[in-house]
Amino acid sequence: SDLYMMPLTIRNAGYSNTVLGFILGFSSLSGAVFDFLLSKYLPSTHFRKLYSYMFICCALFPLAIISSNLIFTYLLASVLWGMYYDLNNFGALDFVGRKFKENTNSLSLFIMNTFTQYGYLIFYFIFAAGIVVTINFETIIYLYLILGIAFSFFLLLLFFDRHEKDKLKTYNSYKPLTFFFEAQLWIKINKILLPLVVLTFLFNLFDSFIWTIRSE
């Protein structure tokens, strides 16, 4: 729902398209920074912990939007959305890696992504019907109701997973690399990934262009 509601809320607050673009772009920037921090400093990447953090971000996101019309609160909401997006993706990958064999990973991620798109589809019809067009008290109730149902299924997952053992291999821990040595590794890796990185950049630029237009 954030694809529609947050841009509309910002525009209804009287901010220009330039400010709207800056705030939406800040979510991508904060997500990229969080990617680095998450991979470097998070001691455990178990999906239980990642999804727990994700639900916290989801619960705080609507509150950040409705707290005031200041740019700072919208930037805070963007940070929360960027963190939620990363935690959701990392949690899904960790879950699939722990629970399924390698030859079924693609199918498992496909099924999870299919249900994600169904969720978007349902909200598109709700939005098109004019039931939810911006953030207000009724919308907040609707959001937290859906979030509560999702959290109940998360608790159900934790219940059935309580006796499961960690199936991932444990690796020896090493001392953190120095900044300059790690930067050299990034440069070497980026040389190999450059075509894919450019492709991903251009594709997401195209996707964001359409997404921004349809959000107004």
Side-chain angles (χ1 to χ4, degrees):
S1 61
D2 53 278
L3 295 178
Y4 284 98
M5 299 173 63
M6 185 173 178
L8 287 176
T9 303
I10 296 173
R11 292 291 287 130
N12 291 338
Y15 291 106
S16 64
N17 290 335
T18 302
V19 176
L20 171 61
F22 173 75
I23 294 175
L24 295 180
F26 190 76
S27 66
S28 298
L29 177 62
S30 60
V33 174
F34 186 69
D35 274 344
F36 173 78
L37 297 177
L38 186 65
S39 60
K40 190 173 181 63
Y41 297 109
L42 190 68
S44 174
T45 58
H46 199 287
F47 69 87
R48 290 194 293 263
K49 179 176 292 186
L50 295 177
Y51 279 142
S52 298
Y53 293 152
M54 181 197 71
F55 275 104
I56 294 175
C57 292
C58 290
L60 294 176
F61 180 81
L63 298 178
I65 293 180
I66 65 173
S67 59
S68 70
N69 293 331
L70 298 176
I71 294 181
F72 171 77
T73 58
Y74 291 131
L75 291 177
L76 176 61
S78 294
V79 172
L80 291 172
W81 186 85
M83 294 172 60
Y84 145 77
Y85 187 82
D86 287 345
L87 291 169
N88 182 39
N89 287 337
F90 281 119
L93 292 174
D94 183 82
F95 177 81
V96 171
R98 291 177 187 275
K99 300 300 179 181
F100 302 98
K101 297 181 180 180
E102 293 182 359
N103 61 340
T104 61
N105 284 352
S106 298
L107 177 61
S108 302
L109 291 172
F110 168 76
I111 294 175
M112 295 175 68
N113 184 66
T114 299
F115 277 88
T116 299
Q117 299 306 316
Y118 282 151
Y120 283 127
L121 179 64
I122 293 174
F123 180 81
Y124 292 159
F125 284 115
I126 295 175
F127 185 86
I131 300 175
V132 176
V133 294
T134 187
I135 291 286
N136 51 40
F137 181 74
E138 290 77 12
T139 304
I140 292 297
I141 295 177
Y142 160 77
L143 288 177
Y144 281 115
L145 176 61
I146 299 300
L147 184 62
I149 296 175
F151 187 71
S152 65
F153 277 93
F154 175 62
L155 294 179
L156 188 64
L157 172 64
L158 296 183
F159 176 77
F160 287 113
D161 188 64
R162 66 189 187 281
H163 298 309
E164 288 288 334
K165 295 182 179 180
D166 191 350
K167 298 180 181 179
L168 290 183
K169 296 180 181 179
T170 57
Y171 297 92
N172 296 328
S173 58
Y174 299 94
K175 294 182 179 180
L177 301 176
T178 64
F179 174 80
F180 294 103
F181 185 78
E182 190 166 358
Q184 291 178 353
L185 292 179
W186 280 40
I187 293 175
K188 292 180 180 179
I189 294 175
N190 285 334
K191 288 181 179 179
I192 301 175
L193 296 178
L194 182 60
L196 181 60
V197 169
V198 174
L199 171 63
T200 304
F201 169 78
L202 295 176
F203 178 79
N204 282 279
L205 180 63
F206 169 82
D207 184 60
S208 299
F209 182 83
I210 302 300
W211 172 68
T212 303
I213 289 178
R214 74 180 185 183
S215 297
E216 297 196 21

XYZ file of all heavy atoms in Angstrom, residues 32-45 90 174-183 185-186:
236
model
N 20.065 1.095 0.610
C 21.404 0.678 0.182
C 22.388 0.727 1.344
O 23.222 -0.171 1.513
C 21.880 1.576 -0.959
N 22.302 1.781 2.153
C 23.172 1.887 3.323
C 22.871 0.770 4.315
O 23.772 0.148 4.887
C 23.005 3.265 3.990
C 23.793 3.331 5.306
C 23.474 4.373 3.053
N 21.580 0.487 4.507
C 21.182 -0.570 5.434
C 21.635 -1.932 4.929
O 21.946 -2.818 5.736
C 19.669 -0.541 5.639
C 19.189 -1.511 6.680
C 19.486 -1.311 8.017
C 18.432 -2.619 6.324
C 19.050 -2.201 8.986
C 17.987 -3.507 7.283
C 18.291 -3.297 8.621
N 21.653 -2.133 3.607
C 22.178 -3.377 3.042
C 23.592 -3.634 3.546
O 23.932 -4.742 3.971
C 22.190 -3.294 1.511
C 20.854 -3.696 0.920
O 20.052 -4.299 1.639
O 20.617 -3.383 -0.252
N 24.421 -2.605 3.462
C 25.817 -2.732 3.877
C 25.923 -3.006 5.373
O 26.648 -3.901 5.813
C 26.580 -1.454 3.519
C 27.985 -1.420 4.044
C 28.988 -2.125 3.409
C 28.295 -0.675 5.169
C 30.289 -2.098 3.900
C 29.583 -0.636 5.664
C 30.586 -1.349 5.027
N 25.172 -2.240 6.170
C 25.232 -2.410 7.625
C 24.700 -3.775 8.046
O 25.241 -4.423 8.949
C 24.435 -1.299 8.310
C 24.947 0.129 8.099
C 24.022 1.138 8.776
C 26.371 0.286 8.627
N 23.634 -4.225 7.387
C 23.030 -5.504 7.727
C 23.984 -6.657 7.450
O 24.126 -7.578 8.258
C 21.724 -5.698 6.945
C 20.886 -6.931 7.281
C 20.367 -6.841 8.707
C 19.719 -7.066 6.313
N 24.634 -6.620 6.294
C 25.535 -7.706 5.921
C 26.831 -7.696 6.726
O 27.476 -8.734 6.863
C 25.867 -7.615 4.425
O 26.501 -6.387 4.134
N 27.192 -6.549 7.261
C 28.485 -6.431 7.933
C 28.387 -6.578 9.444
O 29.286 -7.131 10.076
C 29.121 -5.077 7.588
C 30.573 -4.945 8.033
C 31.197 -3.677 7.511
C 32.657 -3.562 7.926
N 33.475 -4.651 7.355
N 27.294 -6.084 10.031
C 27.256 -5.997 11.487
C 26.166 -6.846 12.148
O 26.186 -7.011 13.366
C 27.058 -4.532 11.916
C 28.205 -3.637 11.499
C 28.034 -2.703 10.483
C 29.451 -3.746 12.104
C 29.087 -1.893 10.089
C 30.505 -2.934 11.719
C 30.318 -2.014 10.710
O 31.354 -1.219 10.320
N 25.218 -7.372 11.402
C 24.185 -8.185 12.034
C 24.763 -9.552 12.381
O 25.181 -10.291 11.491
C 22.975 -8.347 11.112
C 21.742 -8.985 11.762
C 21.164 -8.045 12.806
C 20.697 -9.308 10.715
N 24.799 -9.914 13.665
C 25.436 -11.183 14.049
C 24.677 -12.410 13.588
O 25.261 -13.449 13.353
C 25.473 -11.096 15.585
C 24.358 -10.161 15.946
C 24.282 -9.170 14.811
N 23.355 -12.318 13.467
C 22.540 -13.468 13.068
C 21.588 -13.054 11.960
O 20.937 -12.021 12.054
C 21.744 -13.998 14.266
O 20.847 -15.012 13.854
N 21.525 -13.858 10.914
C 20.633 -13.576 9.790
C 19.477 -14.570 9.748
O 18.906 -14.812 8.689
C 21.400 -13.627 8.453
O 22.009 -14.922 8.302
C 22.464 -12.560 8.396
N 15.825 -10.326 2.731
C 16.818 -11.172 3.382
C 16.137 -12.290 4.183
O 16.635 -13.423 4.221
C 17.712 -10.342 4.303
C 18.778 -9.577 3.580
C 18.823 -8.196 3.637
C 19.745 -10.239 2.844
C 19.807 -7.483 2.963
C 20.740 -9.544 2.169
C 20.771 -8.161 2.233
N 36.128 -14.663 11.242
C 37.397 -14.020 10.990
C 37.344 -12.583 11.480
O 36.272 -12.007 11.674
C 37.720 -14.044 9.487
C 37.836 -15.448 8.923
C 36.736 -16.072 8.336
C 39.029 -16.154 8.985
C 36.834 -17.364 7.825
C 39.136 -17.434 8.477
C 38.041 -18.041 7.898
O 38.133 -19.305 7.394
N 38.509 -12.023 11.651
C 38.573 -10.633 12.062
C 38.043 -9.753 10.939
O 38.224 -10.066 9.760
C 40.021 -10.249 12.395
C 40.585 -10.971 13.614
C 41.997 -10.497 13.903
C 42.558 -11.203 15.138
N 43.937 -10.759 15.428
N 37.396 -8.651 11.273
C 36.877 -7.740 10.235
C 37.997 -7.229 9.338
O 39.114 -6.948 9.794
C 36.246 -6.605 11.050
C 35.965 -7.203 12.393
C 37.054 -8.215 12.627
N 37.711 -7.148 8.060
C 38.685 -6.632 7.110
C 38.815 -5.129 7.261
O 37.880 -4.448 7.681
C 38.257 -6.974 5.681
C 38.077 -8.461 5.362
C 37.562 -8.627 3.944
C 39.367 -9.230 5.558
N 39.984 -4.625 6.939
C 40.161 -3.182 6.981
C 39.354 -2.533 5.865
O 38.980 -3.178 4.881
C 41.648 -2.816 6.815
O 42.090 -3.241 5.514
C 42.488 -3.481 7.893
N 39.077 -1.249 6.021
C 38.242 -0.549 5.050
C 38.881 -0.570 3.665
O 38.203 -0.830 2.659
C 38.026 0.895 5.510
C 37.304 1.743 4.501
C 35.921 1.678 4.376
C 38.009 2.592 3.653
C 35.253 2.441 3.440
C 37.346 3.368 2.712
C 35.965 3.297 2.614
N 40.178 -0.313 3.585
C 40.848 -0.228 2.280
C 40.935 -1.602 1.613
O 40.754 -1.721 0.392
C 42.243 0.370 2.450
C 42.233 1.801 2.892
C 42.498 2.131 4.207
C 41.935 2.820 1.991
C 42.482 3.457 4.624
C 41.916 4.136 2.391
C 42.184 4.461 3.718
N 41.190 -2.645 2.405
C 41.258 -3.981 1.826
C 39.891 -4.418 1.307
O 39.777 -5.007 0.224
C 41.770 -4.976 2.866
C 41.975 -6.360 2.328
C 43.098 -6.670 1.578
C 41.039 -7.353 2.563
C 43.283 -7.948 1.066
C 41.208 -8.629 2.061
C 42.340 -8.927 1.312
N 38.851 -4.115 2.083
C 37.500 -4.466 1.644
C 37.084 -3.654 0.427
O 36.391 -4.151 -0.457
C 36.507 -4.235 2.785
C 35.132 -4.805 2.502
C 34.272 -4.873 3.739
O 34.771 -4.518 4.822
O 33.113 -5.293 3.612
N 37.520 -2.404 0.346
C 37.221 -1.576 -0.821
C 37.856 -2.168 -2.075
O 37.247 -2.147 -3.155
C 37.710 -0.150 -0.589
N 38.412 -5.338 -2.597
C 37.600 -6.499 -2.956
C 36.329 -6.073 -3.682
O 35.916 -6.712 -4.660
C 37.238 -7.296 -1.699
C 38.382 -8.018 -0.983
C 37.855 -8.733 0.253
C 39.065 -9.015 -1.918
N 35.714 -4.971 -3.213
C 34.510 -4.469 -3.862
C 34.806 -4.067 -5.298
O 34.001 -4.314 -6.201
C 33.961 -3.278 -3.069
C 33.181 -3.643 -1.855
C 33.469 -4.645 -0.967
C 31.977 -3.040 -1.398
N 32.539 -4.681 0.033
C 31.606 -3.706 -0.199
C 31.185 -1.999 -1.853
C 30.477 -3.369 0.523
C 30.054 -1.655 -1.124
C 29.703 -2.334 0.043
